[in-house]
Amino acid sequence: MATNELDAGGPVVARERLAVAAGAALLVAGVILVIAVLPAEFGVDPTGLGRRLGLTAMSDIQASLEAFEASRGAAASGAATVVAQERAYQNEIIDLKLGPRESVEYKYRLDKGQALLYSWKASGLVNEEFHAEPDGAPQGYAETYEKKNAQLAASGTLTAPFAGIHGWYWENQTDGEVTVTLSAAGFYNLSHEFRKDAATKTTTFPTQVPPSGGP
């Protein structure tokens, strides 16, 4: 009789153990989901253990990567990485000598969107204004990019916002001679030097790109 009772209870106990095991597995899976999977994959960390264990790093990296790609795509939209030029690339270094209290303007002709790389230094303090005169503007009109007093040097890159002549006005603030040395590179085709009571000095640069190939 006792043997039959044990045999009859066997399947019930097995089913109960199986249910307990299944419940425990589900519980463990739920804990792993909350503590590990959600923080690592989705950045969701309800317990805070994921961040303390360093599991949110993967999610943080993925979010940073997505943000970088989105900002890169927005910045690149509508702007070409390579802009071909039909004009020849120019590069010149010029010395402009200024007597006491004298001034000079030196400008390059640029089309809209063309870049000018520049660097200048002066042997004494000068007042400097970086500006441009748009094509078609009234006589004497100019747009100022930068204006500073008592400067010795500056460098940078200009992308012309419009077609016109773009460049500098320097004024010697000392009682001795000052030399301004300008180094400029870009796709300009003309330069103009303006001095008070003197004719404008214009320099023409080659406008065509040399043919490819050759001997």
Side-chain angles (χ1 to χ4, degrees):
M1 180 67 70
T3 302
N4 291 337
E5 290 178 355
L6 288 175
D7 291 342
V12 175
V13 172
R15 286 195 296 273
E16 291 177 349
R17 289 178 178 175
L18 182 60
V20 170
L26 288 174
L27 178 62
V28 171
V31 171
I32 293 174
L33 175 67
V34 172
I35 294 179
V37 177
L38 289 179
E41 296 294 333
F42 304 101
V44 178
D45 189 18
T47 66
L49 289 174
R51 183 164 297 278
R52 287 195 290 271
L53 294 174
L55 298 177
T56 58
M58 292 175 60
S59 176
D60 293 342
I61 292 173
Q62 181 63 28
S64 298
L65 179 60
E66 291 174 355
F68 167 74
E69 290 177 345
S71 63
R72 182 183 180 188
S77 62
T81 303
V82 177
V83 180
Q85 297 286 340
E86 294 182 357
R87 291 179 178 173
Y89 173 79
Q90 311 297 339
N91 185 6
E92 75 163 349
I93 300 175
I94 185 170
D95 288 332
L96 301 166
K97 296 186 182 297
L98 297 174
R101 311 299 171 178
E102 279 189 346
S103 62
V104 65
E105 287 187 82
Y106 198 83
K107 296 185 174 76
Y108 293 100
R109 171 157 294 281
L110 298 171
D111 290 335
K112 181 179 179 180
Q114 289 185 325
L116 178 69
L117 284 72
Y118 66 89
S119 177
W120 66 264
K121 60 182 180 179
S123 59
L125 293 175
V126 294
N127 292 345
E128 171 255 355
E129 182 178 342
F130 191 18
H131 62 275
E133 299 173 33
D135 287 348
Q139 182 72 24
Y141 176 84
E143 292 194 19
T144 300
Y145 302 133
E146 178 182 75
K147 187 175 183 179
K148 295 181 179 179
N149 293 332
Q151 299 297 300
L152 286 174
S155 60
T157 303
L158 167 71
T159 300
F162 45 76
I165 55 175
H166 309 254
W168 299 264
Y169 167 86
W170 291 287
E171 181 181 14
N172 180 4
Q173 287 296 288
T174 73
D175 294 325
E177 185 179 84
V178 167
T179 299
V180 176
T181 301
L182 170 66
S183 176
F187 293 93
Y188 46 83
N189 63 337
L190 292 174
S191 70
H192 305 284
E193 181 179 332
F194 304 97
R195 292 179 183 264
K196 186 178 179 180
D197 301 326
T200 300
K201 181 181 178 181
T202 298
T203 301
T204 302
F205 300 90
T207 58
Q208 297 297 320
V209 176
S212 60

